Amino acid sequence: MKKGIALVVLTILFAWQMVSSYAIQRFPKPEFESGYITPETLLPTPRAEILEVMDVAVLLLALSVVTWAVLKRRSRNLVFWISIFSLAYFGFYREGCVCSIGSIQNVTLAIFAGSYVIPWTVLVFFLSPLVYTLLFGRTFCAGVCPFGAFQDLVSWRPQKIGTRLNAVLGVIPYIYLGLAVLYAATATDFIICRYDPFIGIFRFDALFSMFIFGGILLLCGVFIARPYCRFLCPYGVLLNWISRFSKYHMTITPSICVECRLCEDSCPYESIEKPVTVKNPESRKMVVRKFILIMLLIPFFMLLGGWTGSQIHESLAKVNGKVRMADELLHPEKIQAEPESIEMTAFKASGKSVKELYNEASRILRQFYIGGWILGGFIGLTIGGLLAGRLITRYRTDFEPNRGTCYSCSRCVDYCPIKS
Amino acid sequence: MRSLQPNLTVNMNNKNRRLDNMNGKGEEKRINRRKFFRTGAQTGLLIGLGGIATLAARKAGSNEYVWQLDPTKCTQCGRCATSCIKTPSAVKCVHVYAMCGYCDLCGGYFLPDTKTLNTGAENQLCPTKAIKRTFIEDPFFEYTIDEEVCIGCGKCVKGCGAFGNGSLQLQVRQDRCDNCNECSIARNCPSDAYSRIPVDQPYLLKGFGQKNLDIK
């Protein structure tokens, strides 16, 4: 009997100890006799939400003012000063984050990845420049984007590099955009942010390699105006295509072009189209032949690109940490790291089974396979389209800005002798 | 608009141009066609933008988000110190005093093979000596983190977790964090401990639920 009671008491005691040791810590909090009061753990708050709202307000205001300066005031000076403000605010004060260029990835991730919630401010940063561009052309590039403003500031001796090189380098943004969307859609990486050349300069703090990259771009920018905007910017691709159909795009002359050719060399971006009055009239036969060639060329390039993309999808997927991990586990002979990598240690500590990881990795690989086809097809379409564009001769009578590549910086407006 | 410019230029070009009809009507037709095409494209683009906007807006939150690391997933690999775009990192060791045992032999403060328990530099685990040890009463000591000096390497966190209560925890200090669009520590974190969390509950401390964060 006694034994029984003792057992029950012991059991209760033991159970109590189990519960209490679970509830409190290994070393219980001491009871101080000296009147010591436990200090509070300070938890500093993030940037106030109202300031985020202010960013959006400043963005919309800057867009509106610069659009007014370009289209109504037609003043290069004003555009310049707004761009300086934007550089100071969005660049050095906000340290380049969040920006419209990077927001492409947030929007992509929001559309494709299940759990990601996109803040509404980011959505506004993505959409408002696009809407403004559809109405008024790329005024965003003229004076709101801090990257553009930064490069504009240093373009002291812009040289022409020729239409051909321009066209070849102009393919890079399309590839960059395609890759950025692919990596964002598979929730792998935000490569636009990762390889952002100027953000380190805005923050006075970055990896050495990114400082070098930014420095080289700025140095190039002295002689080749806006190298990032023209040959890298993925957001520029969207703006380019929307701007081509903009409703009220800036014009060089406010009324008529007298073909004085003063504006011809004013554009540092080689975006002024010269008048093409008939030099070599094309026969109908030639036109039809060209059309057929284009129609065959584009699908061919798309298929070729898509096939190539699908072939290299495994290499593309290596950027993804989970795929890399699964690959490492599948091919242990490849690993030379001794001791084992931090990733491997963390994976073993996580308690996740290898099978789970393989399943996840194969799901991601499948996404990359489809993504590889789409990416390749997109690049093929781009190259085909650009080639087709070169086959088409457009006639125009005046000096006009190329609506796609014109940043509405209004330099040419200053050169135009016609003021009303 | 500009297509209605003085007839002069239009006529001048018609002389040279080979159009379907060699008169003003042909030009007009062409302009109308172009205009129609342009309006169509504008409408198409507007619809496309609207589509993207609605797709994204379905997932849009009214909240802002910040980066935070979950101490329950953290393996103290030390990358928080090196991967942050800021130097020193915005990740710091945070001391949750309410969980601390105030031990004399603190696993987060002393190197494992320490012989004498004093504040000698050779005894300290922290590479930057960011932890201050103050005597309170026998046998208890208070440990405070000097965040200006802390680099967020997590060595003390590992020690405290292994030998003590786990009151030292790594957290993204929200006043220091730039809240990058993509956190470069999150990208390099081997334990997947980083996530975006709503700005109104910006800390994830272990041992205390999010709701009772008013630990005094």
Side-chain angles (χ1 to χ4, degrees):
Chain A
M1 188 67 192
K2 247 184 188 172
K3 227 178 184 178
I5 292 168
L7 197 71
V8 169
V9 169
L10 266 178
T11 318
I12 290 169
L13 269 178
F14 189 64
W16 173 248
Q17 209 191 356
M18 283 278 286
V19 169
S20 55
S21 73
Y22 182 75
I24 47 170
Q25 307 94 9
R26 223 174 277 170
F27 304 99
K29 201 180 151 196
E31 280 166 23
F32 298 105
E33 285 155 10
S34 58
Y36 169 82
I37 300 160
T38 312
E40 197 180 324
T41 303
L42 292 174
L43 300 172
T45 48
R47 194 166 178 263
E49 253 184 306
I50 186 79
L51 290 174
E52 313 276 337
V53 178
M54 193 176 83
D55 289 346
V56 171
V58 171
L59 171 77
L60 294 176
L61 192 73
L63 270 171
S64 305
V65 174
V66 83
T67 304
W68 174 76
V70 169
L71 293 174
K72 287 280 170 206
R73 270 295 295 276
R74 301 176 58 78
S75 156
R76 167 66 197 156
N77 243 336
L78 191 55
V79 173
F80 175 76
W81 286 111
I82 299 164
S83 78
I84 295 293
F85 164 77
S86 300
L87 177 62
Y89 187 86
F90 294 111
F92 287 99
Y93 167 61
R94 288 300 296 124
E95 299 181 330
C97 226
V98 54
C99 77
S100 300
I101 305 172
S103 69
I104 299 171
Q105 304 161 114
N106 300 61
V107 171
T108 314
L109 188 62
I111 291 172
F112 287 98
S115 59
Y116 177 66
V117 185
I118 183 171
W120 67 271
T121 48
V122 178
L123 197 56
V124 175
F125 263 83
F126 175 73
L127 281 174
S128 53
L130 297 180
V131 172
Y132 267 80
T133 303
L134 186 56
L135 289 170
F136 309 112
R138 299 173 70 169
T139 49
F140 170 75
C141 303
V144 184
C145 180
F147 287 21
F150 206 8
Q151 294 172 88
D152 231 26
L153 207 59
V154 299
S155 66
W156 295 315
R157 295 279 178 277
Q159 308 292 319
K160 295 213 180 252
I161 59 167
T163 35
R164 206 163 286 166
L165 188 58
N166 242 323
V168 172
L169 291 176
V171 180
I172 304 171
Y174 290 87
I175 301 173
Y176 197 8
L177 174 71
L179 282 171
V181 168
L182 175 68
Y183 283 128
T186 53
T188 301
D189 203 348
F190 277 12
I191 57 168
I192 300 175
C193 301
R194 187 171 180 178
Y195 300 112
D196 191 322
F198 300 122
I199 212 156
I201 300 170
F202 292 151
R203 291 176 166 145
F204 305 113
D205 201 350
L207 289 177
F208 183 65
S209 54
M210 289 324 285
F211 267 133
I212 295 286
F213 183 32
I216 287 175
L217 271 181
L218 282 183
L219 214 63
C220 286
V222 176
F223 304 106
I224 304 162
R226 294 204 187 204
Y228 183 86
C229 305
R230 282 156 80 191
F231 310 127
L232 277 171
C233 182
Y235 197 61
V237 173
L238 305 181
L239 293 173
N240 182 322
W241 279 97
I242 291 173
S243 177
R244 287 177 196 214
F245 306 104
S246 54
K247 200 152 172 59
Y248 314 101
H249 193 280
M250 178 214 91
T251 55
I252 299 173
T253 156
S255 49
I256 50 164
C257 175
V258 291
E259 295 187 30
C260 64
R261 310 182 61 169
L262 280 173
C263 62
E264 206 174 354
D265 290 323
S266 67
C267 184
Y269 318 116
E270 296 161 70
S271 292
I272 295 180
E273 307 269 25
K274 296 184 179 81
V276 184
T277 43
V278 179
K279 293 272 157 51
N280 35 357
E282 290 177 320
S283 64
R284 180 154 274 272
K285 207 171 160 190
M286 269 291 278
V287 174
V288 171
R289 240 186 231 165
K290 270 187 179 181
F291 182 75
I292 291 172
L293 185 65
I294 291 167
M295 282 302 125
L296 289 176
L297 215 60
I298 291 177
F300 170 72
F301 274 121
M302 284 177 75
L303 274 176
L304 185 72
W307 182 78
T308 317
S310 69
Q311 290 305 301
I312 59 166
H313 80 279
E314 285 188 4
S315 317
L316 290 172
K318 282 278 171 61
V319 177
N320 191 295
K322 279 170 188 147
V323 174
R324 241 187 354 247
M325 189 74 226
D327 183 54
E328 229 172 84
L329 282 167
L330 260 179
H331 307 282
E333 70 279 357
K334 270 199 235 166
I335 312 163
Q336 286 132 19
E338 193 71 43
E340 64 180 11
S341 66
I342 292 172
E343 275 84 5
M344 192 64 85
T345 318
F347 174 71
K348 281 175 185 163
S350 71
K352 209 154 84 178
S353 76
V354 178
K355 197 159 181 237
E356 254 176 293
L357 182 76
Y358 281 169
N359 282 339
E360 218 169 328
S362 72
R363 187 180 54 78
I364 295 167
L365 265 180
R366 176 101 205 118
Q367 287 174 349
F368 268 95
Y369 180 73
I370 299 165
W373 267 104
I374 297 171
L375 171 71
F378 173 68
I379 294 171
L381 177 67
T382 306
I383 294 173
L386 287 172
L387 281 177
R390 291 186 72 81
L391 286 180
I392 296 166
T393 324
R394 277 195 204 83
Y395 298 103
R396 69 183 72 73
T397 56
D398 300 348
F399 281 90
E400 281 173 17
N402 178 326
R403 289 191 169 205
T405 53
C406 169
Y407 298 124
S408 300
C409 72
S410 301
R411 280 191 179 87
C412 50
V413 172
D414 262 7
Y415 281 80
C416 189
I418 296 170
K419 293 295 174 200
S420 61
Chain B
M1 280 263 185
R2 272 175 306 119
S3 58
L4 301 174
Q5 273 172 10
N7 284 329
L8 184 81
T9 39
V10 174
N11 289 336
M12 200 173 69
N13 289 304
N14 279 354
K15 258 185 256 168
N16 305 330
R17 238 178 229 178
R18 192 187 178 284
L19 295 168
D20 295 347
N21 302 324
M22 286 284 253
N23 56 28
K25 251 187 185 171
E27 181 75 356
E28 222 160 77
K29 215 182 215 171
R30 176 177 271 254
I31 286 164
N32 276 342
R33 200 192 297 147
R34 189 168 281 179
K35 209 172 181 182
F36 172 74
F37 176 66
R38 180 173 291 275
T39 322
Q42 280 166 358
T43 326
L45 281 170
L46 203 62
I47 293 169
L49 275 184
I52 292 174
T54 3
L55 267 179
R58 280 192 314 168
K59 293 268 250 2
S62 57
N63 227 323
E64 292 299 317
Y65 287 80
V66 289
W67 291 100
Q68 192 50 276
L69 87 124
D70 185 349
T72 55
K73 287 184 183 168
C74 175
T75 45
Q76 295 93 36
C77 66
R79 286 202 185 152
C80 290
T82 52
S83 291
C84 185
I85 56 121
K86 301 195 97 177
T87 17
S89 172
V91 176
K92 303 283 173 198
C93 172
V94 173
H95 196 185
V96 186
Y97 294 100
M99 279 177 81
C100 183
Y102 291 82
C103 316
D104 184 8
L105 173 58
C106 173
Y109 186 81
F110 290 112
L111 279 167
D113 51 355
T114 305
K115 302 270 178 338
T116 45
L117 300 185
N118 59 35
T119 55
E122 72 280 5
N123 298 333
Q124 289 187 30
L125 190 60
C126 180
T128 57
K129 296 173 202 63
I131 308 179
K132 211 170 82 210
R133 172 177 150 106
T134 10
F135 175 74
I136 294 172
E137 63 183 60
D138 202 42
F140 302 125
F141 288 84
E142 183 197 72
Y143 299 91
T144 23
I145 312 288
D146 183 355
E147 285 194 10
E148 293 304 319
V149 186
C150 175
I151 55 167
C153 67
K155 287 199 169 100
C156 58
V157 178
K158 194 165 214 157
C160 178
F163 305 111
N165 290 345
S167 63
L168 295 174
Q169 297 173 19
L170 283 179
Q171 286 286 280
V172 176
R173 283 316 225 176
Q174 302 296 359
D175 53 335
R176 294 169 190 273
C177 176
D178 280 347
N179 200 12
C180 297
N181 197 16
E182 187 200 36
C183 175
S184 65
I185 317 175
R187 184 176 60 231
N188 285 337
C189 176
S191 332
D192 225 359
Y194 277 78
S195 55
R196 291 170 206 260
I197 59 168
V199 73
D200 43 5
Q201 293 174 341
Y203 290 90
L204 289 167
L205 291 170
K206 190 168 59 179
F208 290 85
Q210 273 284 305
K211 281 182 187 75
N212 44 25
L213 257 184
D214 47 336
I215 20 171
K216 296 278 159 68

